[in-house]
Amino acid sequence: MNNINLYKSIIENQQNLLYNCLSKLLSKDMKVALLDFPNHNNVGDNAIWLGEKAALKKIGVEVVYQCDIYGFSERAMRKHLADKGIVLLHGGGNLGSVWPEHQRFRERIIQSLPDMTIIQLPQSVFFDNDVELKSFGNIAREHQKLHILVRDKVSFRMLHELKLNVELCPDMAFAIGAIPQVGSPKVDVVWLSRSDHESAGYNIDDTNFKIEKLDWLQGEPGRYYSKFSPKITVRIRRMVQRIFRKSSFVRNRCWKLNTTFFDALAQRRLNRGVRILSRGKIVVTDRLHGHIISTLLGKPQILFDNHYKKIGNYRDCFEPEHEAIFYDLDDKSNVETNISKAISFS
């Protein structure tokens, strides 16, 4: 296996852009709160969290308060931030109407903290209707110290037209840096395919290659999982979330207990994603972080897209063309040819 990452220059370039962007807003010895931990199984969101933590540590910024969307306590946060702290909102692809629960939390934070500096870490933006878009614009414009970072030009234009304070910045997962692959490939192709409502319905027809199709929201090939295990862990997580959501006392006094394992959980989820992607000589995916983590792994890739072109918009903004990455959004007739070409780089 080649130990030199195929995308070394891409990773380094994105890291430089990322730190240049953050350095305008954050500096050493600042104290911050980091809100909206992704307490779910999506590997990409957890990779973003780990990238955020890595970037903040490198800059010398101290995270003194953190929470998921159910455990937020303004009282506890203000106590630890004092007067000069900054509120950071977790990045990802949930600014808009696609994931309404996270959007409602974001709008609640913006409205309830008018006196504090708030930085929305890099997001993709998508609203499926003008009413919600304009409503968010009205809420965001009222906040005088809100900075929104976005990870593509389409998102930038959308928010710039609302007269918001917006800037381009690469995805925070790149702050993790290159990741070693795990073991040897078991199949020709890992086809990491969205199983949620962001899927655009792409598929790969029969080919002569050994293809393993899956989504990293559900299980992991080659590892035993009791059929009851996922149900139990989900129920425990929902029970804890329900307790924190309903009790201000618990949110105010027990927030540290809730966050004790955030980083370990995120790392465990990223490790699972790395093992899944490492199973293939190449990766085919319609997940943006299937692409980004494959890039950190140095995996050749064939890319489709989600329903609002999240991958294509990101690559158009930050990534140059690369001979080992095939963005095959429209033409499905040459998938088998591209698989052969991609495997030649592995």
Side-chain angles (χ1 to χ4, degrees), residues 95-291:
L95 201 165
S97 55
V98 179
W99 300 98
E101 197 169 25
H102 293 272
Q103 180 65 12
R104 287 194 296 268
F105 176 75
R106 176 178 298 105
E107 293 178 356
R108 171 187 159 202
I109 294 299
I110 294 170
Q111 289 177 305
S112 63
L113 304 174
D115 59 316
M116 305 193 76
T117 297
I118 300 176
I119 302 172
Q120 170 62 72
L121 295 172
Q123 279 275 348
S124 297
V125 181
F126 180 79
F127 287 88
D128 58 15
N129 64 82
D130 289 339
V131 173
E132 291 183 78
L133 172 62
K134 291 177 180 178
S135 174
F136 173 69
N138 292 336
I139 291 170
R141 274 195 304 273
E142 288 294 315
H143 199 292
Q144 301 303 307
K145 294 186 286 186
L146 172 64
H147 305 268
I148 303 178
L149 306 180
V150 295
R151 56 191 189 184
D152 63 74
K153 294 175 183 176
V154 174
S155 298
F156 179 89
R157 287 193 294 269
M158 194 182 308
L159 299 189
H160 184 69
E161 288 175 0
L162 295 175
K163 303 187 185 307
L164 302 182
N165 185 4
V166 59
E167 186 171 347
L168 288 166
C169 184
D171 188 89
M172 293 297 296
F174 276 100
I176 296 172
I179 301 172
Q181 298 184 39
V182 177
S184 300
K186 305 296 187 294
V187 295
D188 296 318
V189 179
V190 165
W191 170 204
L192 183 69
S193 175
R194 299 198 75 109
S195 59
D196 58 19
H197 59 279
E198 286 195 46
S199 172
Y202 292 112
N203 207 345
I204 300 177
D205 296 329
D206 292 337
T207 72
N208 294 318
F209 297 96
K210 187 175 181 181
I211 297 176
E212 188 171 72
K213 182 180 179 181
L214 71 162
D215 189 6
W216 56 24
L217 297 181
Q218 305 157 348
E220 177 185 347
R223 296 175 75 90
Y224 172 75
Y225 289 91
S226 164
K227 65 180 180 179
F228 299 109
S229 178
K231 293 182 180 179
I232 292 172
T233 57
V234 167
R235 285 177 180 175
I236 291 172
R237 185 170 72 237
R238 288 178 177 171
M239 180 184 69
V240 172
Q241 290 170 346
R242 187 162 53 248
I243 292 171
F244 275 82
R245 186 170 61 245
K246 291 185 175 182
S247 172
S248 60
F249 176 85
V250 173
R251 292 195 301 273
N252 293 338
R253 301 298 180 89
C254 303
W255 67 271
K256 281 189 178 179
L257 179 63
N258 188 39
T259 66
T260 300
F261 300 107
F262 276 6
D263 291 359
L265 282 170
Q267 187 63 58
R268 180 181 179 185
R269 292 161 183 162
L270 174 59
N271 291 346
R272 175 168 54 84
V274 168
R275 290 194 299 268
I276 287 171
L277 297 176
S278 294
R279 291 177 61 83
K281 294 177 182 177
I282 69 167
V283 172
V284 177
T285 188
D286 56 355
R287 283 192 170 276
L288 175 59
H289 283 86
H291 160 53

Side-chain angles (χ1 to χ4, degrees), residues 57-70:
K57 182 178 180 180
K58 182 172 181 177
I59 294 169
V61 171
E62 183 183 2
V63 179
V64 297
Y65 177 83
Q66 56 188 351
C67 68
D68 58 18
I69 63 175
Y70 304 103

Side-chain angles (χ1 to χ4, degrees), residues 5 13 25 35 69 87 140 151 156 158 192 205 246 253 264 273 308 312 324 326 332 335:
N5 191 299
N13 181 59
L25 301 168
L35 313 185
I69 63 175
V87 176
R151 56 191 189 184
F156 179 89
M158 194 182 308
L192 183 69
D205 296 329
K246 291 185 175 182
R253 301 298 180 89
Y308 64 93
F326 302 83
K332 307 301 179 299
V335 168

